[in-house]
Amino acid sequence: MTAMAPSRAEPDLSYFLDRTGHVLRTQMTAALAEIGLTARMHCVLVHALEEERTQIQLAELGDMDKTTMVVTVDALEKAGLAERRPSSTDRRARIIAVTEKGREVAHRSQEIVDGVHRAALESLPGDEREVLLRAMRRLVEGHLSTPVEAPQAPRRPRQ
Amino acid sequence: MTAMAPSRAEPDLSYFLDRTGHVLRTQMTAALAEIGLTARMHCVLVHALEEERTQIQLAELGDMDKTTMVVTVDALEKAGLAERRPSSTDRRARIIAVTEKGREVAHRSQEIVDGVHRAALESLPGDEREVLLRAMRRLVEGHLSTPVEAPQAPRRPRQ
DNA sequence: TATTGTTATACTCTATAACTATA
DNA sequence: TATAGTTATAGAGTATAACAATA
């Protein structure tokens, strides 16, 4: 596990964000697991329901690599929640079509996700909750909008 | 990368926490890298400076595994920032002693960490900042205090 | 030439297992 | 028997490389 938590002058925002994010994620993972979904499967399912989308489009929306998307769609197909269909306009692309069962599961998983979020937010006084959300939005759109690029080591070619 | 970010009824707390936490971590990693430290090295250095501590004690404070601590202390020794010294009371244990250079680096790294946090917090209006911190503290001590245990697959014995 | 989806796999990270030396 | 530290490595997760089909 990660960490960084001593006493110091400046409030330890890193600790607050890492810790709350981590614990919330464990809650979400456990809650979605009860209906056989991962967070990624839920994310793809919901976006695929909104309109006809290809794997690449869904990958971008969920901020995943296209190879990760392959695995996620495999899982959705295996669970009978979605299907790959040829695009009518681009024969390279696959539209991810949500099945009837998938639609039902997506509604249920959305309730689960909302429930986990609601439980956390309702543990705060109403005014604190309001301001917390406003501040988070401001950070996401402002000072914490863009990750600092890390120099990534080039990989040895496949032998 | 992780993600989950559609439009929905309940505010997407997962997205806010994951995203802000991630971006802040990239800022911190980049800033500390300029003086050759990782976040873990900084964390161990600071705690080791406070008082005489063994590897196990430092591991618990930083919420790391003892095997991760071995690697971290190796890095600190290699950089000449800390040394392993035998404990005078327990011959199994090693006290992590910070060198003079280590002390200087720790002060510098603490300034860096504080600076990164300050920059983020100062991007918020004062009243929002206050309430954000209060709310985060409330979550860390309350509804988001304890990770949900994930059932972890038993590992095959070392062959 | 560029892009979609796919397979194979290199790499990183983390923590379990096993071990040595002490307690 | 239990604990501190160590080594080796299993396993999960992620993303790069290479490729086939198509644009």
Side-chain angles (χ1 to χ4, degrees):
Chain A
M1 295 284 130
T2 53
M4 176 193 318
S7 59
R8 55 166 73 94
E10 206 65 29
D12 196 342
L13 187 61
S14 294
Y15 175 73
F16 286 148
L17 293 178
D18 283 351
R19 181 72 185 172
T20 53
H22 170 66
V23 174
L24 187 64
R25 182 160 40 248
T26 68
Q27 292 183 353
M28 195 64 80
T29 299
L32 287 173
E34 295 197 6
I35 58 170
L37 288 194
T38 62
R40 272 202 248 266
M41 288 165 78
H42 163 78
C43 178
V44 169
L45 221 42
V46 167
H47 283 126
L49 260 179
E50 289 170 1
E51 56 180 277
E52 286 216 342
R53 284 178 166 141
T54 65
Q55 286 188 207
I56 286 272
Q57 290 171 329
L58 291 168
E60 275 162 14
L61 282 168
D63 194 22
M64 303 174 214
D65 191 85
K66 61 180 181 172
T67 59
T68 305
M69 181 57 59
V70 170
V71 178
T72 306
V73 174
D74 284 350
L76 288 173
E77 273 201 325
K78 199 166 156 187
L81 305 176
E83 291 168 4
R84 288 171 165 98
R85 294 204 187 140
S87 162
S88 52
T89 59
D90 183 339
R91 287 202 293 175
R92 295 169 305 179
R94 316 297 190 88
I95 299 296
I96 303 309
V98 179
T99 65
E100 189 46 43
K101 183 180 170 195
R103 180 185 305 273
E104 287 161 21
V105 168
H107 286 141
R108 180 82 192 91
S109 65
Q110 188 58 64
E111 286 173 4
I112 289 174
V113 168
D114 285 345
V116 170
H117 287 156
R118 193 180 316 117
L121 291 170
E122 282 181 353
S123 77
L124 298 172
D127 53 333
E128 254 177 50
R129 175 168 59 235
E130 286 291 304
V131 180
L132 171 75
L133 291 171
R134 198 182 319 142
M136 294 297 280
R137 244 174 241 121
R138 201 186 297 272
L139 287 173
V140 162
E141 287 163 15
H143 189 81
L144 297 181
S145 66
T146 314
V148 177
E149 292 294 337
Q152 49 202 33
R155 198 163 96 168
R156 174 164 68 89
R158 230 157 88 190
Q159 86 291 58
Chain B
M1 295 283 131
T2 52
M4 177 193 319
S7 60
R8 55 167 72 93
E10 206 66 28
D12 196 342
L13 187 61
S14 295
Y15 175 72
F16 287 148
L17 294 177
D18 284 350
R19 181 71 185 174
T20 53
H22 170 66
V23 175
L24 187 63
R25 181 159 42 249
T26 67
Q27 292 183 352
M28 194 64 80
T29 299
L32 287 173
E34 294 196 7
I35 58 170
L37 288 194
T38 62
R40 272 202 248 264
M41 287 165 78
H42 163 77
C43 177
V44 169
L45 221 42
V46 167
H47 282 127
L49 259 180
E50 289 171 0
E51 58 180 276
E52 287 216 342
R53 285 179 166 138
T54 66
Q55 287 189 205
I56 286 272
Q57 290 171 330
L58 291 167
E60 276 161 13
L61 282 169
D63 193 23
M64 302 175 214
D65 190 86
K66 61 180 181 172
T67 59
T68 304
M69 181 58 59
V70 171
V71 179
T72 305
V73 174
D74 284 350
L76 290 172
E77 273 202 324
K78 199 166 157 186
L81 305 177
E83 292 168 5
R84 289 173 166 96
R85 295 204 188 140
S87 162
S88 53
T89 58
D90 183 340
R91 286 202 294 176
R92 296 169 304 179
R94 315 299 190 88
I95 300 295
I96 303 309
V98 178
T99 64
E100 188 47 42
K101 182 181 171 194
R103 180 185 305 272
E104 287 161 21
V105 169
H107 286 143
R108 180 81 193 93
S109 65
Q110 188 58 65
E111 286 173 3
I112 289 174
V113 169
D114 286 345
V116 170
H117 287 155
R118 194 180 315 116
L121 291 169
E122 282 181 353
S123 76
L124 298 173
D127 52 334
E128 255 177 50
R129 174 168 59 236
E130 286 293 304
V131 181
L132 170 75
L133 291 170
R134 199 182 318 143
M136 293 297 281
R137 245 175 239 119
R138 201 186 296 273
L139 287 173
V140 162
E141 287 161 16
H143 190 80
L144 297 180
S145 65
T146 315
V148 176
E149 293 293 338
Q152 49 201 33
R155 198 163 96 167
R156 174 162 68 88
R158 229 157 87 190
Q159 86 293 56

